[in-house]
Amino acid sequence: MKVALLLIDLQNDFLDVPNLEPNANEIVERAANLLNSCRVLDIPIIHIWTTINTDIDNRMPHWQRNNQWRCVQGTSGHEVPQLLHPNSQEIIIHKTFYSGFENGQLEPILQSLEVDTLFLAGIYLHGCVRSTALDAYQKGFKVWIAEDSIGSDDPLHSAITYRYLEARAANFASVNYLLSLIDKSENYDLDNTKSPPLLPSIIADGNTRNDSTLKTFIHLSPRDIKQRLWQVPICGKELVKKAAISAKQAFKKWRNSPIDTRRQILHNLADLLEQERKSLVEQLAIEVGKPVIYGQAEVSRAIELLKSVALFGEEKIIVPQHSQGTYRYCPVGVVAIITPWNNPLAIPIGKIAPALLYGNTLIWKPALPGTAIAIKVMDLLATAGCPPGVINLVSGDHLTSQTLMSDENVDAVTLSGSSRAGYFAQDICDRRRIPLQAELGGNNAAIIWSDCDLENAAKQVIHGAFGFAGQRCTANRRVIVDPHCYDEFIQQLKQAMAELVWGDPLNLETHVGPLISLQKLDQVTAMLTRIKTEVDIIFEADLDKTNFKTIPTGAYSCPTIICCDHPNHEIIQIETFAPVLVVQKAENWEQAIQLCNGVTQGLVAALFSHSSLRQEQFLNEVQAGVLKLNSATTDVAVNIPFGGWKASGVGSPEHASSNREFYTRTQAIYNAN
């Protein structure tokens, strides 16, 4: 394999656009990592730039129609960031349209270098990266796209492009994986150093299948990365189809089972979870790094969800007769359930329970780090009396999820995951015209006003921001403060922060445990290093302090409080999913509301104020699916609907009365007899 790296359109005019995902700094940093590694490995590097000349006006026709000037030669917008500047040995190819092959220069250069494989990074995936990849494929090159070094300002179009290219013309992989293909001297993937126990690949129709022939994911304990816990196969289309058929066949009988039978299974499962509480809490700490206090809360929440769903099941499925006819709620069919690693017990239970109660059958694809807990739940479901085939499990990665959502036997999809996962799900479900329910995280803010109890507010915000290392969709990521109490509240935050214990999640006192992986730690560390000169870091945990009780080989990130008054800064706009809290000073109440609403997501928002007027204004003006008064953004009830606005959610909310909206469909019946 002879490789060349193509860096496509990583120019300031393309980077400096709104709605770029991921943000420009992340793209540049990761592309620079790939660039520098390829330099060390003596890989040929070709920079492909869009270059517009005002003298001849060689713009694309649609740019001319829209009077749009970008990447004009001699301007700063035509340049690339300093980290991506070519050196004297590297080739620059200029283009005016989409593909790097456009002007005929690239192919002869690659042939002269005897290149057969291309690594692509750049922007935009849905435009120039796509065109270059397709042309490269047509010309016989093997194409790899660095999935963590590409971006787009049209994320839905990007998701469509990703799926299109991956099925036809290109492979997608991380920078580390690409480097591992060409540099065998370095261990870029620690997961491949040992072979721990193999988990089942599929549980379908009550039968467990182990398959050692599939590619596997090896899971390291976040609290001690030297501990390789288990490996799990990545299922493909054949095994997904097997699980889907099992669910489809079981649906015929399960949909007509007595509702009291279904309800009893939920009660039985709740009792079994209580019996297994201690082992589940320990498993959560070891496998996802969840501190014991939060593991206890997750088990309790799962039990409460089961009981709450069973209670709502008392409502009749058949609605009373009307003079013209009647209507009823029918199960939607086979439901694909795709769940995250951070709440690998409670979130799945919140989906499984109503799906079962309303007569649906299920296929569950847990996130890879949550697979072992999912298998344990499957065992408990069988013990609780759930018939074979009613709930099936497939292990795998994001491609497994996409295959599952695309299967013709799947009638609906419920997903909790990242914004990117949501775009893939929207594309697939919209094409198939099946219901989608998606909870996609939150960049949640709390507004602190001077008439509240500042000490109490600070304690709640700190626990909401740093509990479980900030790895909750409801975590308090931003805090917006009244200027009249700003300095005092900062001191209260520091005091509350000093009282937290961080370290080993098995320690009963720990609040802040590790991040889920070394890869996530590297990402957070790089981000904080990148922005240190742009923001004011007012608190960064000292790992030598006595309240840091941990294992030195864990994926621990220092809890950090940052002050930033630039509303468009990346640290404010992104969901860090890490122990990072950003403080923003509001000039007045109106700006506080603007700052609260000033991000793309809208899951949870909180107000700490005793003013009834401000509370009313907050409830009327803030754009989020969950609003809280004088309490942290975390911790929501099981018997109240839960769902996000804006980029935080698609489809109906979860829980309570919303369950029937998603897990059933209405059928009208007329009888002229």
Side-chain angles (χ1 to χ4, degrees):
M1 179 173 68
K2 184 66 183 294
V3 176
L5 171 64
L6 307 186
L7 297 176
I8 302 168
D9 283 351
L10 287 163
Q11 298 164 263
N12 292 328
D13 271 350
F14 290 131
L15 290 164
D16 187 23
V17 296
N19 304 318
L20 187 64
E21 291 191 14
N23 72 77
N25 288 333
E26 287 184 65
I27 297 170
V28 170
E29 188 172 78
R30 293 169 185 172
N33 177 33
L34 179 59
L35 170 63
N36 292 329
S37 297
C38 287
R39 284 170 174 167
V40 170
L41 295 169
D42 201 26
I43 300 297
I45 296 162
I46 301 173
H47 302 260
I48 298 174
W49 294 351
T50 295
T51 302
I52 301 302
N53 189 317
T54 56
D55 293 335
I56 59 175
D57 193 1
N58 57 339
R59 291 176 295 165
M60 291 182 286
H62 70 282
W63 282 16
Q64 294 176 353
R65 287 196 305 270
N66 297 328
N67 195 29
Q68 187 175 42
W69 291 92
R70 280 182 173 180
C71 301
V72 175
Q73 192 168 16
T75 67
S76 60
H78 179 259
E79 296 295 320
V80 297
Q82 184 64 39
L83 288 174
L84 300 176
H85 271 202
N87 64 31
S88 57
Q89 286 78 44
E90 293 165 4
I91 299 168
I92 302 173
I93 288 181
H94 299 276
K95 65 182 180 66
T96 56
F97 281 76
Y98 293 101
S99 174
F101 290 90
E102 165 203 323
N103 61 14
Q105 296 177 6
L106 179 58
E107 187 175 9
I109 291 172
L110 296 175
Q111 290 174 345
S112 69
L113 295 169
E114 299 182 343
V115 165
D116 57 19
T117 302
L118 301 179
F119 289 175
L120 273 56
I123 51 179
Y124 303 117
L125 175 59
H126 67 274
C128 296
V129 175
R130 170 190 169 124
S131 293
T132 303
L134 288 173
D135 281 353
Y137 172 65
Q138 178 190 0
K139 296 176 185 300
F141 295 98
K142 186 167 185 179
V143 179
W144 288 87
I145 298 177
E147 63 181 358
D148 47 359
S149 298
I150 52 174
S152 175
D153 62 350
D154 188 348
L156 180 56
H157 195 175
S158 177
I160 296 168
T161 300
Y162 189 117
R163 293 183 59 238
Y164 180 87
L165 290 177
E166 191 166 47
R168 296 167 176 82
N171 301 290
F172 286 77
S174 67
V175 167
N176 277 353
Y177 184 83
L178 296 184
L179 294 174
S180 73
L181 295 177
I182 54 177
D183 184 12
K184 304 303 181 183
S185 65
E186 292 289 339
N187 178 22
Y188 289 96
D189 187 359
L190 292 174
D191 287 2
N192 286 331
T193 60
K194 288 186 180 179
S195 295
L198 181 68
L199 298 183
S201 55
I202 182 175
I203 302 174
D205 199 24
N207 298 313
T208 298
R209 173 171 171 173
N210 296 80
D211 196 333
S212 59
T213 65
L214 298 174
K215 177 185 175 183
T216 63
F217 165 85
I218 298 180
H219 184 47
L220 315 180
S221 174
R223 66 182 287 273
D224 181 6
I225 59 164
K226 292 183 178 179
Q227 186 179 8
R228 288 160 173 80
L229 299 175
W230 36 258
Q231 59 181 322
V232 59
I234 308 299
C235 288
K237 188 172 183 178
E238 179 183 349
L239 291 180
V240 168
K241 176 67 68 178
K242 183 179 179 66
I245 291 174
S246 173
K248 198 72 170 181
Q249 292 174 341
F251 176 65
K252 299 172 184 177
K253 183 175 180 181
W254 178 251
R255 66 175 299 174
N256 295 316
S257 62
I259 192 169
D260 287 341
T261 300
R262 304 177 213 160
R263 188 182 298 116
Q264 187 58 52
I265 291 172
L266 303 188
H267 285 301
N268 293 345
L269 181 58
D271 293 340
L272 290 169
L273 290 178
E274 187 61 62
Q275 293 172 24
E276 295 291 327
R277 175 183 288 271
K278 183 178 179 180
S279 66
L280 284 166
V281 170
E282 182 177 355
Q283 191 173 2
L284 286 165
I286 293 171
E287 296 187 3
V288 299
K290 178 162 285 191
V292 168
I293 56 171
Y294 298 112
Q296 290 281 5
E298 181 168 359
V299 176
S300 295
R301 180 172 176 81
I303 293 170
E304 291 169 5
L305 280 163
L306 287 162
K307 293 180 177 179
S308 173
V309 169
L311 178 63
F312 270 91
E314 296 289 347
E315 63 193 13
K316 290 186 178 295
I317 302 300
I318 297 180
V319 178
Q321 181 82 28
H322 293 270
S323 57
Q324 297 91 346
T326 189
Y327 59 96
R328 61 184 178 182
Y329 300 104
C330 300
V332 71
V334 175
V335 181
I337 292 181
I338 300 169
T339 58
W341 57 263
N342 63 324
N343 290 293
L345 179 65
I347 287 179
I349 290 296
K351 300 175 185 292
I352 291 169
L356 292 179
L357 183 78
Y358 287 112
N360 301 280
T361 55
L362 302 84
I363 313 158
W364 179 12
K365 207 297 292 182
L368 286 165
T371 305
I373 291 173
I375 291 170
K376 184 164 187 173
V377 172
M378 291 291 290
D379 291 340
L380 295 178
L381 277 160
T383 304
C386 190
V390 169
I391 177 166
N392 308 269
L393 181 139
V394 291
S395 63
D397 58 9
H398 68 287
L399 291 179
T400 311
S401 296
Q402 292 175 36
T403 301
L404 174 58
M405 291 186 287
S406 301
D407 191 277
E408 62 184 0
N409 295 291
V410 170
D411 300 304
V413 174
T414 176
L415 172 149
S416 295
S418 66
S419 176
R420 183 185 182 196
Y423 285 118
F424 280 102
Q426 280 184 274
D427 173 34
I428 295 169
C429 294
D430 283 352
R431 288 175 186 272
R432 298 192 57 227
R433 293 184 175 176
I434 62 173
L436 169 65
Q437 177 190 68
E439 188 274 296
L440 304 172
N443 189 352
N444 313 301
I447 299 175
I448 310 297
W449 222 246
S450 54
D451 63 340
C452 75
D453 181 337
L454 295 179
E455 180 180 0
N456 171 63
K459 288 181 178 179
Q460 291 209 47
V461 166
I462 288 296
H463 280 270
F466 295 105
F468 187 28
Q471 297 174 123
R472 296 184 282 185
C473 61
T474 58
N476 203 149
R477 311 216 178 275
R478 299 177 294 134
V479 59
I480 299 160
V481 187
D482 181 350
H484 298 95
C485 64
Y486 183 83
D487 293 337
E488 182 181 354
F489 186 70
I490 292 292
Q491 294 306 311
Q492 292 287 355
L493 283 178
K494 292 179 179 179
Q495 178 60 39
M497 186 69 232
E499 296 173 2
L500 283 186
V501 175
W502 53 92
D504 187 354
L506 286 173
N507 185 329
L508 297 177
E509 299 176 350
T510 296
H511 297 98
V512 187
L515 294 173
I516 186 61
S517 67
L518 282 181
Q519 290 82 0
K520 178 63 178 180
L521 175 61
D522 289 344
Q523 177 188 338
V524 174
T525 302
M527 178 198 65
L528 292 174
T529 301
R530 184 171 66 240
I531 68 171
K532 273 189 174 181
T533 60
E534 303 169 355
V535 299
D536 183 14
I537 297 179
I538 63 170
F539 186 99
E540 189 169 20
D542 183 354
L543 299 190
D544 294 326
K545 288 182 117 181
T546 56
N547 62 342
F548 184 70
K549 303 171 183 178
T550 189
I551 299 170
T553 55
Y556 294 93
S557 179
C558 297
T560 304
I561 302 176
I562 293 171
C563 292
C564 180
D565 291 330
H566 304 289
N568 294 322
H569 194 284
E570 65 172 296
I571 194 62
I572 290 173
Q573 290 298 321
I574 64 173
E575 181 186 15
T576 57
F577 223 69
V580 178
L581 176 67
V582 186
V583 183
Q584 299 174 265
K585 182 191 289 187
E587 295 179 1
N588 50 49
W589 172 255
E590 288 73 22
Q591 191 192 32
I593 296 294
Q594 291 174 3
L595 292 174
C596 185
N597 290 333
V599 296
T600 59
Q601 293 175 303
L603 184 59
V604 189
L607 169 66
F608 288 85
S609 170
H610 295 300
S611 165
S612 57
L613 176 60
R614 295 203 190 282
Q615 290 182 6
E616 181 180 0
Q617 291 172 327
F618 172 81
L619 296 178
N620 286 335
E621 298 175 21
V622 169
Q623 301 162 0
V626 179
L627 303 180
K628 304 187 75 174
L629 299 174
N630 295 307
S631 63
T633 57
T634 51
D635 301 326
V636 293
V638 300
N639 55 358
I640 295 177
F642 174 76
W645 288 13
K646 302 195 292 185
S648 288
V650 177
S652 62
E654 298 183 75
H655 309 327
S657 58
S658 295
N659 284 331
R660 192 175 68 182
E661 295 175 21
F662 180 73
Y663 293 102
T664 69
R665 49 188 175 183
T666 307
Q667 186 175 59
I669 301 171
Y670 293 84
N671 189 343
N673 293 334

Coordinates of all heavy atoms in Angstrom, one line a residue, residues 221-260:
S221 N -11.4 -0.6 31.2 CA -12.0 0.1 32.4 C -11.6 1.5 32.4 O -10.4 1.8 32.5 CB -11.7 -0.6 33.7 OG -12.3 0.1 34.8
P222 N -12.5 2.5 32.5 CA -12.1 3.9 32.6 C -11.3 4.2 33.8 O -10.5 5.1 33.8 CB -13.5 4.6 32.6 CG -14.4 3.7 31.9 CD -14.0 2.3 32.3
R223 N -11.6 3.5 34.9 CA -10.9 3.7 36.2 C -9.5 3.2 36.2 O -8.7 3.5 37.0 CB -11.7 3.2 37.3 CG -11.8 1.7 37.4 CD -12.7 1.2 38.5 NE -12.0 1.4 39.8 CZ -11.2 0.4 40.3 NH1 -11.0 -0.7 39.7 NH2 -10.7 0.6 41.5
D224 N -9.2 2.2 35.3 CA -7.9 1.6 35.2 C -7.7 1.0 33.8 O -8.1 -0.1 33.6 CB -7.8 0.5 36.3 CG -6.4 -0.2 36.3 OD1 -5.5 0.3 35.5 OD2 -6.2 -1.1 37.0
I225 N -7.1 1.8 33.0 CA -7.0 1.3 31.6 C -6.1 0.1 31.3 O -6.1 -0.4 30.2 CB -6.6 2.5 30.7 CG1 -5.2 3.0 31.1 CG2 -7.6 3.6 30.7 CD1 -4.5 3.8 30.1
K226 N -5.4 -0.3 32.4 CA -4.6 -1.5 32.2 C -5.5 -2.8 32.4 O -5.1 -3.9 32.1 CB -3.5 -1.6 33.3 CG -2.4 -0.5 33.1 CD -1.4 -0.7 34.1 CE -0.2 0.3 33.9 NZ 0.8 0.2 34.9
Q227 N -6.8 -2.5 32.8 CA -7.7 -3.6 33.0 C -8.6 -3.7 31.7 O -9.5 -3.0 31.5 CB -8.6 -3.3 34.2 CG -9.6 -4.5 34.6 CD -10.4 -4.2 35.8 OE1 -10.4 -3.1 36.3 NE2 -11.1 -5.2 36.3
R228 N -8.3 -4.8 31.0 CA -9.1 -5.0 29.7 C -10.2 -6.0 30.1 O -10.0 -7.1 30.4 CB -8.1 -5.6 28.7 CG -7.2 -4.6 28.1 CD -6.0 -5.1 27.4 NE -5.3 -4.0 26.8 CZ -4.5 -3.2 27.4 NH1 -4.3 -3.3 28.7 NH2 -3.9 -2.2 26.8
L229 N -11.4 -5.4 30.1 CA -12.5 -6.1 30.7 C -13.1 -7.3 29.8 O -13.3 -8.4 30.3 CB -13.7 -5.1 31.0 CG -13.3 -4.0 32.0 CD1 -14.4 -3.0 32.1 CD2 -12.9 -4.6 33.3
W230 N -13.4 -6.9 28.6 CA -14.0 -7.9 27.7 C -13.9 -7.4 26.3 O -13.6 -6.2 26.0 CB -15.4 -8.2 28.0 CG -16.3 -7.1 28.6 CD1 -16.6 -6.8 29.9 CD2 -16.9 -6.0 27.8 NE1 -17.3 -5.7 30.0 CE2 -17.5 -5.1 28.8 CE3 -16.9 -5.7 26.5 CZ2 -18.2 -4.0 28.4 CZ3 -17.6 -4.5 26.1 CH2 -18.2 -3.7 27.0
Q231 N -14.2 -8.2 25.3 CA -14.3 -7.8 23.9 C -15.7 -8.2 23.4 O -16.3 -9.2 23.9 CB -13.2 -8.4 23.1 CG -13.2 -9.9 23.0 CD -12.0 -10.4 22.1 OE1 -11.7 -9.8 21.1 NE2 -11.4 -11.5 22.6
V232 N -16.2 -7.4 22.5 CA -17.5 -7.6 21.9 C -17.5 -7.6 20.4 O -16.8 -6.7 19.9 CB -18.5 -6.6 22.5 CG1 -18.1 -5.2 22.2 CG2 -19.9 -6.9 22.1
P233 N -18.1 -8.5 19.7 CA -18.2 -8.5 18.3 C -18.9 -7.3 17.7 O -19.9 -6.8 18.3 CB -18.8 -9.8 17.9 CG -18.7 -10.7 19.1 CD -18.8 -9.7 20.3
I234 N -18.6 -6.9 16.5 CA -19.3 -5.9 15.7 C -20.2 -6.6 14.7 O -19.7 -7.2 13.7 CB -18.3 -5.0 15.0 CG1 -17.2 -4.4 16.0 CG2 -19.1 -3.8 14.3 CD1 -17.8 -3.6 17.1
C235 N -21.5 -6.6 15.0 CA -22.4 -7.4 14.1 C -22.6 -6.6 12.8 O -22.7 -5.4 12.8 CB -23.7 -7.6 14.8 SG -23.6 -8.8 16.2
G236 N -22.8 -7.4 11.8 CA -23.1 -6.9 10.4 C -24.5 -7.2 10.1 O -25.4 -7.6 10.9
K237 N -24.8 -7.1 8.8 CA -26.2 -7.2 8.3 C -26.8 -8.5 8.5 O -28.0 -8.6 8.9 CB -26.2 -6.9 6.8 CG -27.6 -6.8 6.1 CD -27.5 -6.3 4.7 CE -28.9 -6.1 4.1 NZ -28.8 -5.6 2.7
E238 N -26.1 -9.6 8.4 CA -26.6 -10.9 8.6 C -27.2 -11.2 10.0 O -28.3 -11.7 10.1 CB -25.6 -12.0 8.3 CG -26.1 -13.4 8.4 CD -25.0 -14.5 8.2 OE1 -23.9 -14.1 7.7 OE2 -25.2 -15.6 8.5
L239 N -26.4 -10.8 11.0 CA -26.9 -11.0 12.4 C -28.0 -10.0 12.8 O -28.9 -10.4 13.5 CB -25.7 -10.9 13.3 CG -24.7 -12.0 13.2 CD1 -23.5 -11.8 14.2 CD2 -25.3 -13.4 13.5
V240 N -27.9 -8.8 12.3 CA -29.0 -7.8 12.5 C -30.3 -8.4 11.9 O -31.3 -8.3 12.6 CB -28.6 -6.5 11.9 CG1 -29.8 -5.6 11.9 CG2 -27.5 -5.8 12.7
K241 N -30.2 -8.9 10.7 CA -31.4 -9.5 10.1 C -32.0 -10.6 10.9 O -33.2 -10.7 11.1 CB -31.0 -10.0 8.7 CG -32.2 -10.7 7.9 CD -33.3 -9.7 7.6 CE -32.9 -8.7 6.6 NZ -34.0 -7.8 6.2
K242 N -31.1 -11.4 11.5 CA -31.6 -12.6 12.3 C -32.3 -12.1 13.5 O -33.4 -12.6 13.8 CB -30.4 -13.4 12.7 CG -30.7 -14.6 13.6 CD -29.4 -15.4 13.9 CE -29.7 -16.6 14.8 NZ -30.5 -17.6 14.0
A243 N -31.8 -11.0 14.2 CA -32.5 -10.5 15.3 C -33.8 -9.8 14.9 O -34.8 -9.9 15.6 CB -31.6 -9.5 16.0
A244 N -33.8 -9.1 13.8 CA -35.0 -8.5 13.3 C -36.1 -9.4 13.0 O -37.3 -9.2 13.3 CB -34.7 -7.6 12.1
I245 N -35.8 -10.5 12.3 CA -36.8 -11.6 12.0 C -37.3 -12.2 13.3 O -38.5 -12.5 13.4 CB -36.2 -12.6 11.1 CG1 -35.9 -12.0 9.7 CG2 -37.1 -13.8 10.9 CD1 -35.1 -12.9 8.8
S246 N -36.5 -12.4 14.2 CA -36.9 -13.0 15.5 C -37.9 -12.1 16.2 O -39.0 -12.5 16.7 CB -35.7 -13.2 16.5 OG -36.1 -13.5 17.8
A247 N -37.7 -10.8 16.2 CA -38.6 -9.8 16.8 C -39.9 -9.8 16.0 O -41.0 -9.7 16.6 CB -38.0 -8.4 16.8
K248 N -39.8 -9.8 14.7 CA -41.0 -9.8 13.8 C -41.9 -11.0 14.1 O -43.2 -10.9 14.2 CB -40.6 -9.7 12.3 CG -41.7 -9.3 11.4 CD -41.9 -7.8 11.6 CE -42.8 -7.2 10.5 NZ -43.0 -5.7 10.7
Q249 N -41.3 -12.2 14.2 CA -42.1 -13.4 14.4 C -42.8 -13.3 15.8 O -43.9 -13.8 16.0 CB -41.2 -14.6 14.2 CG -40.8 -14.8 12.8 CD -39.8 -15.9 12.6 OE1 -39.2 -16.4 13.6 NE2 -39.7 -16.4 11.4
A250 N -42.0 -12.9 16.8 CA -42.5 -12.8 18.2 C -43.7 -11.8 18.3 O -44.6 -12.0 19.2 CB -41.4 -12.5 19.2
F251 N -43.7 -10.8 17.5 CA -44.7 -9.7 17.6 C -46.1 -10.3 17.3 O -47.1 -9.8 18.0 CB -44.4 -8.6 16.5 CG -45.4 -7.5 16.5 CD1 -45.6 -6.7 17.6 CD2 -46.2 -7.3 15.3 CE1 -46.6 -5.7 17.5 CE2 -47.1 -6.3 15.3 CZ -47.3 -5.5 16.4
K252 N -46.2 -11.2 16.5 CA -47.6 -11.8 16.1 C -48.3 -12.3 17.4 O -49.5 -12.1 17.5 CB -47.4 -12.9 15.1 CG -46.8 -12.4 13.8 CD -46.5 -13.6 12.9 CE -45.8 -13.2 11.6 NZ -45.4 -14.4 10.7
K253 N -47.6 -12.9 18.3 CA -48.2 -13.4 19.5 C -48.2 -12.4 20.6 O -49.1 -12.2 21.4 CB -47.5 -14.7 19.9 CG -48.1 -15.4 21.1 CD -47.4 -16.7 21.4 CE -48.0 -17.4 22.6 NZ -47.3 -18.7 22.9
W254 N -47.0 -11.7 20.8 CA -46.9 -10.8 21.9 C -47.9 -9.6 21.9 O -48.4 -9.2 22.9 CB -45.5 -10.2 21.9 CG -45.2 -9.2 23.0 CD1 -45.0 -7.9 22.9 CD2 -45.1 -9.5 24.4 NE1 -44.8 -7.3 24.1 CE2 -44.8 -8.3 25.1 CE3 -45.2 -10.7 25.2 CZ2 -44.6 -8.2 26.4 CZ3 -45.0 -10.6 26.5 CH2 -44.7 -9.4 27.2
R255 N -48.2 -9.1 20.7 CA -49.2 -8.0 20.6 C -50.5 -8.3 21.2 O -51.3 -7.4 21.6 CB -49.3 -7.5 19.2 CG -50.0 -8.6 18.2 CD -50.2 -8.0 16.9 NE -51.1 -6.8 16.9 CZ -51.3 -6.1 15.9 NH1 -50.8 -6.3 14.7 NH2 -52.1 -5.0 16.0
N256 N -50.9 -9.6 21.2 CA -52.2 -10.1 21.7 C -52.1 -10.6 23.1 O -53.1 -11.1 23.6 CB -52.8 -11.1 20.8 CG -53.1 -10.5 19.4 OD1 -53.6 -9.4 19.3 ND2 -52.7 -11.3 18.3
S257 N -51.0 -10.6 23.7 CA -50.8 -11.1 25.1 C -51.6 -10.1 26.1 O -51.7 -8.9 25.8 CB -49.4 -11.2 25.5 OG -48.8 -9.9 25.5
P258 N -52.1 -10.7 27.2 CA -52.8 -9.8 28.2 C -51.9 -8.7 28.7 O -50.7 -9.0 29.0 CB -53.2 -10.8 29.3 CG -53.1 -12.2 28.6 CD -52.1 -12.1 27.6
I259 N -52.5 -7.6 28.9 CA -51.7 -6.5 29.4 C -51.2 -6.7 30.8 O -50.2 -6.3 31.2 CB -52.4 -5.1 29.2 CG1 -51.4 -4.0 29.5 CG2 -53.6 -5.1 30.2 CD1 -52.0 -2.6 29.2
D260 N -52.0 -7.5 31.6 CA -51.6 -7.8 32.9 C -50.4 -8.7 32.9 O -49.5 -8.5 33.8 CB -52.7 -8.5 33.6 CG -53.9 -7.6 34.0 OD1 -53.7 -6.4 34.0 OD2 -55.0 -8.1 34.3

